[in-house]
Amino acid sequence: MEPRPFKAYSFVSFSPLAMLDPTILTIGIIVLGIAIIEGILERWGVIELGDQFAKVMRFILPVTFYSALIYFFGTFMF
């Protein structure tokens, strides 16, 4: 005897757009903006200021990445 088909309903709707958290997107946009400013400064020939941005970004990028990762896993409902 074949099993009867049944409909399964999910109580939690999941959308990939739910992963686009505004906080993480804001942090990403700020970091990307600083990187673009650094590239523009080096293109304009202001190498010293570009190097200062690069030194700051060497510290900010890893800290921002791991902070956003911890925030994401801490607030995301599995």
Side-chain angles (χ1 to χ4, degrees):
M1 181 178 233
E2 275 187 52
R4 232 175 19 147
F6 64 95
K7 292 184 179 182
Y9 295 99
S10 174
F11 293 109
V12 179
S13 63
F14 180 75
S15 168
L17 295 177
M19 295 174 133
L20 297 176
D21 187 41
T23 305
I24 293 177
L25 286 177
T26 303
I27 291 171
I29 289 171
I30 290 171
V31 170
L32 185 63
I34 291 173
I36 290 172
I37 289 172
E38 178 188 347
I40 290 172
L41 287 174
E42 288 182 1
R43 201 173 311 138
W44 284 351
V46 191
I47 304 297
E48 294 83 16
L49 194 55
D51 286 341
Q52 293 298 325
F53 268 100
K55 287 178 185 175
V56 170
M57 291 302 286
R58 276 189 216 127
F59 174 74
I60 288 178
L61 282 176
V63 170
T64 305
F65 172 74
Y66 289 118
S67 302
L69 197 64
I70 290 169
Y71 173 80
F72 176 74
F73 284 119
T75 59
F76 187 66
M77 298 292 289
F78 288 103

